[in-house]
Amino acid sequence: MPITFQAPATLLKTIATQAKAQRLAANLTRRTLAEKSGVAEASIKRFETTGQISFHSLLKLAFALNCMDDFNRLFAEKPPQTITDLQTTQRQRGSL
């Protein structure tokens, strides 16, 4: 699996660009996406131009654009890589 690193600001813009591409591929205007998703048209415009959006609104847009599956992997548990990983018990809380 290739490893890629992006700064948070770069990733925000990448996600916004991909969301806009999905909107256009679905032949939706910002206004129709706003009506379909419940996210204000101005918020969609700000997201597409700056990458800034609340997580809740991002989920609404993903749902409206049929892209929710991508969020299921966001913080998914990673499979063990070594025998030591298999033998290690899962932590219930963090420590300093």
Side-chain angles (χ1 to χ4, degrees):
M1 171 186 343
I3 298 175
T4 58
F5 296 99
Q6 289 188 22
T10 304
L11 186 56
L12 287 173
K13 191 62 179 151
T14 299
I15 291 170
T17 300
Q18 292 170 339
K20 182 178 181 179
Q22 287 290 328
R23 175 179 66 78
L24 294 173
N27 201 28
L28 297 172
T29 64
R30 287 180 182 152
R31 177 171 288 149
T32 55
L33 180 57
E35 291 168 359
K36 187 175 179 179
S37 66
V39 176
E41 187 178 349
S43 293
I44 295 170
K45 180 179 180 179
R46 184 178 65 249
F47 172 52
E48 289 182 352
T49 57
T50 69
Q52 297 297 312
I53 193 167
S54 74
F55 188 67
H56 187 252
S57 292
L58 181 61
L59 289 175
K60 287 180 168 183
L61 292 177
F63 183 78
L65 294 170
N66 197 26
C67 297
M68 288 297 288
D69 289 342
D70 298 327
F71 286 99
N72 291 331
R73 293 187 306 271
L74 188 58
F75 291 108
E77 186 175 339
K78 303 214 182 328
Q81 301 293 313
T82 65
I83 292 177
T84 304
D85 293 343
L86 289 170
Q87 296 169 336
T88 304
T89 58
Q90 232 180 3
R91 294 186 52 87
Q92 297 298 314
R93 60 181 181 185
S95 65
L96 293 175

